[in-house]
Amino acid sequence: MTAENTDPLRILADKPREMSAFAALLEAMRREGHQAELLGSPERQQDFYAFTPPIPVDAELAVNGVAGFVDHTVLPAPQEDPRRVATQDAVAVRLIELLTGLATAAPGGGLVVHVAAGPWMGASKKVGERLYAQVVEMANKAVKRGKPFVDLRRLPQGPFPVPTIGFWPCPDERRVIISFDDLTSGWSGHPGPDGHWQFNISDIRPTVGRAIESKLRKQLAGVRAVAEARPIGLLVDCRPMLSPGKKKPEPVFDLPPMVAGALIHQIAEDWPGVLNKAWLISPLSGVTAVYGEGSGLSW
């Protein structure tokens, strides 16, 4: 039996995003000095876990000798303007065509392009091609320098996020990921009397927060009913990643850890006793504890 086949994470191989998320969580815990391992997957190994009815949770983890259950969820993007979605589709296809050859020379063999579709909406063909050329020029500079690149003098025109070029370790022939930054939902925050930031997240709870609320209300509440004494955790994923057969990543919302924590705290208050810990995994912040006792990554 090969080392690959004995890797406990292989039990999650049917869902590559999920497997990579748990791998990142375990690695982050170990770097922090904890003993962390994947024990199994109740959702996939129902004969091994004698719960009736079976518990719908992705993984059982042991952290410093304490075993608990963790479920993975993607933080969804809010519903978007259909015109913007159509523009994003067209821009993603064109940029992937233009950048795939260049990506082979990038560190890791893959490019991640963070860009807004807004400048292309309603633009003439000539203007659109000029915008594509500017992104390609940025990507060329990033690959030549061997480090992520942003050019504040170029795109965008108007109130759109500035495009950035980054790298990723490409696992297959899909060498270019296009991540769109021009989502319309947002939040506001201010420092409270205790010095901690307080956020107004009413705009994002019904949209972005729906995945977290659904997990606590249905899935994890069911786990708690049959595993009263076990820690229960939620791994919230906001990385832009390609799914098989897709030309652009599934829409996700990349919240800063403080905002994600405020959102999860508000939802968890409506479902007391269900959740012990939550972690956020994002392209900018890595793995961060956003809910639960203590500031570390363990239970």
Side-chain angles (χ1 to χ4, degrees):
M1 184 176 291
T2 66
E4 181 182 14
N5 289 332
T6 59
D7 182 356
L9 285 165
R10 295 299 300 172
I11 192 65
L12 309 177
D14 59 317
K15 296 181 180 179
R17 172 191 277 276
E18 188 175 296
M19 184 171 72
S20 70
F22 277 103
L25 176 61
L26 292 171
E27 177 61 26
M29 287 178 168
R30 291 163 185 159
R31 285 200 307 268
E32 199 175 80
H34 306 292
Q35 293 182 342
E37 60 179 326
L38 176 70
L39 300 179
S41 175
E43 188 174 67
R44 298 168 175 85
Q45 299 171 300
Q46 294 181 8
D47 292 339
F48 182 74
Y49 289 90
F51 292 102
T52 304
I55 56 174
V57 68
D58 294 321
E60 182 185 22
L61 304 186
V63 184
N64 298 328
V66 178
F69 298 113
V70 179
D71 209 63
H72 169 265
T73 190
V74 174
L75 201 62
Q79 294 298 313
E80 282 290 301
D81 177 352
R83 294 182 308 131
R84 187 181 303 278
V85 173
T87 302
Q88 289 178 345
D89 288 340
V91 170
V93 169
R94 182 65 173 139
L95 285 177
I96 289 171
E97 290 175 350
L98 293 170
L99 296 175
T100 295
L102 176 63
T104 60
L111 288 173
V112 179
V113 180
H114 295 271
V115 68
W120 279 271
M121 289 184 66
S124 66
K125 183 177 180 180
K126 182 178 180 180
V127 170
E129 289 301 317
R130 185 169 71 244
L131 296 174
Y132 289 128
Q134 290 176 1
V135 175
V136 172
E137 181 183 353
M138 293 180 194
N140 271 296
K141 289 181 178 179
V143 172
K144 183 177 180 181
R145 298 177 183 185
K147 59 183 181 181
F149 181 75
V150 57
D151 189 347
L152 296 175
R153 299 169 301 174
R154 292 300 184 110
L155 282 176
Q157 303 295 322
F160 302 108
V162 177
T164 60
I165 309 294
F167 308 123
W168 76 296
C170 174
D172 50 37
E173 73 279 0
R174 295 170 295 174
R175 295 186 174 276
V176 181
I177 288 179
I178 311 298
S179 177
F180 292 101
D181 296 331
D182 47 350
L183 294 170
T184 55
S185 289
W187 62 89
S188 60
H190 63 276
D194 59 357
H196 293 92
W197 277 84
Q198 298 177 351
F199 294 94
N200 176 10
I201 57 173
S202 58
D203 288 343
I204 61 174
R205 178 167 176 175
T207 53
V208 179
R210 69 185 186 274
I212 297 171
E213 188 151 11
S214 177
K215 288 286 184 182
L216 268 64
R217 176 170 52 88
K218 299 177 181 178
Q219 205 164 339
L220 297 184
V223 176
R224 175 60 72 208
V226 297
E228 296 180 1
R230 293 285 201 98
I232 294 177
L234 183 64
L235 180 54
V236 180
D237 192 342
C238 60
R239 300 168 298 164
M241 293 185 69
L242 282 174
S243 298
K246 302 293 185 180
K247 292 184 178 295
K248 69 174 186 176
E250 59 186 297
V252 296
F253 207 44
D254 188 5
L255 287 179
M258 286 192 299
V259 180
L263 176 64
I264 294 170
H265 272 83
Q266 186 183 99
I267 295 171
E269 287 179 352
D270 292 341
W271 303 96
V274 172
L275 192 65
N276 296 100
K277 197 77 176 184
W279 307 269
L280 179 74
I281 176 170
S282 75
L284 295 180
S285 305
V287 179
T288 311
V290 292
Y291 180 83
E293 294 184 2
S295 59
L297 296 175
S298 66
W299 303 119

